[in-house]
Amino acid sequence: MDGSADAALVEAWATGWALSRGVGAPIRAAGGHRIVVGEPGHAERYIFPALDAAALSDLAARITAPGIFLKAFCTPEALLAAVDARWSPHAPGDLMAIDLVAVPPPPPLAAGYVHALRAEGAVLVVEIHDAGGVLAASGRAALTGGFAVFDKIVTDPAHQRRGLGRFVMGVLGERARALGAARGVLVATPEGRALYEVLGWRFEGRMETVVIPDEVVG
């Protein structure tokens, strides 16, 4: 298998990720999607639903600065073979999807916690605070073209194993569905993938990443 992923899912995730992070919409480039992030250590990212080795090799050769990530759905060996020796592997991510009608409803919120749901434009934001007002868990879902792109689903380690992550996912899924979204998309760490699979999410492909380390430049 070549590791490629569904192009529509990848485009939806790239668009929703940019919405959630408050950066410009993806730009078509070299057969993929270019996002200008503009953060220290993360200037840009390119995302490819499949590996076009020749096109990616040409792009990689023209990049001289660190902080520009090349992400492609392919085997890690194929991605590394397409770039020169300046590039190093970075953490991969697992693309996952779900039909929102299948998202479990939020479980009862654990005692001592309160939650709030708000919209920031096209982005839904859920936050859970403990009795002292400390943020215990949060998550976001960007709505784009019938998709809800889940992002930054985080539970503070001190508040884990209390169902807060499930609650965040359930609230976001219910609200996104009510607003017309039909499918959910996210990218999980390989370690976090199992949690989402328990909630009914399907694995759609692994996204490998390379970047030029700071010490290589110059």
Side-chain angles (χ1 to χ4, degrees), residues 101-126:
V101 294
V103 171
L109 190 57
Y113 293 96
V114 295
H115 84 282
L117 169 65
R118 67 179 186 275
E120 297 178 355
V123 181
L124 303 174
V125 181
V126 174

Side-chain angles (χ1 to χ4, degrees), residues 31 89 142 172 181 212 214:
L172 289 172
I212 299 176
D214 287 342

Side-chain angles (χ1 to χ4, degrees), residues 126-151:
V126 174
E127 293 181 343
I128 300 175
H129 292 83
D130 68 10
V134 175
L135 182 64
S138 60
R140 306 166 70 84
L143 306 180
T144 173
F147 290 91
V149 179
F150 290 64
D151 185 38

Side-chain angles (χ1 to χ4, degrees), residues 39-58:
E39 295 180 357
H42 192 173
E44 300 178 11
R45 54 171 49 195
Y46 289 80
I47 304 161
F48 303 92
L51 178 65
D52 180 333
L56 193 140
S57 179
D58 179 66

